[in-house]
Amino acid sequence: MSQEIDVHTLKARLDAKEDFKFVDVREEHEYEEYNLGAELIPLGSIPERLDDFGDKESDIVLHCRSGARSGNAQRYLESQGFTNVTNVTGGVLAWKELIA
């Protein structure tokens, strides 16, 4: 079962400086326009960048514009054996609306 968090929970985790791998799966031009400080690994490049995600038990939090692409990335990583992957529901759109 896939894990999800909302932007309020994400902000709390960031504010608490929790140790997790925070990844933005949008494209570079989207990232340059507005980003939350996550590492940029565009969805299409994930298969060749699996090593960038650390070990299979790493705490990974993914986000995108709305939560759809990061959901796809989450399912892909889980299919590759990653066991602790979380998707941010609503993505940047929710962050801009509720947090920023």
Side-chain angles (χ1 to χ4, degrees), residues 1-15:
M1 166 141 168
S2 295
Q3 301 177 87
E4 294 185 332
I5 59 171
D6 62 22
V7 291
H8 296 290
T9 304
L10 171 62
K11 183 174 186 334
R13 290 190 70 184
L14 292 170
D15 289 349

Side-chain angles (χ1 to χ4, degrees), residues 28-51:
E28 189 170 342
H29 68 276
E30 295 174 283
Y31 184 82
E32 290 171 0
E33 182 181 304
Y34 190 89
N35 74 74
L36 307 180
E39 178 180 351
L40 178 65
I41 303 178
L43 180 60
S45 69
I46 290 174
E48 62 264 17
R49 294 188 60 187
L50 286 176
D51 289 347

Side-chain angles (χ1 to χ4, degrees), residues 17-29:
K17 298 187 177 1
E18 288 186 22
D19 185 25
F20 61 94
K21 176 97 173 157
F22 187 30
V23 178
D24 186 332
V25 302
R26 298 176 302 154
E27 296 301 315
E28 189 170 342
H29 68 276

Side-chain angles (χ1 to χ4, degrees), residues 70-84:
S70 50
N72 289 338
Q74 178 185 36
R75 286 185 289 280
Y76 177 76
L77 289 172
E78 289 170 346
S79 78
Q80 298 303 303
F82 288 86
T83 59
N84 192 14

